[in-house]
Amino acid sequence: MRKGIHPDYGPVVFRDRAANYAFLTRSTMTSEKTIEWEDGNTYPVVDVEISNVSHPFYTGTARVLDTAGRVERFERRYGKQG
């Protein structure tokens, strides 16, 4: 890698405010806000809207869409083309 063209890559805490869940990982993201982590160190914190803890796909609360029914309803309403 060339020096001076890449952003700093370091520890960052990502916090899912909806689920009250946070995890420490490495990233190039930065933030002015900081948080004191379990190990006693202070890290930048990035608030996210959704994570694997609150996403319906991972929590098992995802709804299955009836796409076949929607297509049939569309064809009945507007007529089948071709």
Side-chain angles (χ1 to χ4, degrees):
M1 285 193 331
R2 291 188 352 202
K3 299 287 183 194
I5 63 169
H6 299 284
D8 291 333
Y9 183 72
V12 177
V13 174
F14 286 93
R15 179 172 52 189
D16 183 352
R17 301 294 294 233
N20 196 21
Y21 175 74
F23 59 94
L24 177 66
T25 187
R26 293 175 55 87
S27 176
T28 58
M29 291 199 62
T30 59
S31 175
E32 298 294 321
K33 295 187 276 184
T34 59
I35 189 172
E36 186 173 329
W37 193 243
E38 300 159 352
D39 61 3
N41 293 327
T42 302
Y43 300 106
V45 62
V46 176
D47 291 326
V48 294
E49 296 291 324
I50 199 161
S51 70
N52 64 324
V53 176
S54 61
H55 193 280
F57 178 79
Y58 294 106
T59 60
T61 59
R63 294 180 296 169
V64 177
L65 295 177
D66 180 23
T67 55
R70 289 181 180 197
V71 171
E72 291 169 0
R73 213 171 333 140
F74 178 83
E75 288 175 351
R76 275 194 312 248
R77 185 176 296 159
Y78 300 106
K80 195 171 185 178
Q81 298 291 329

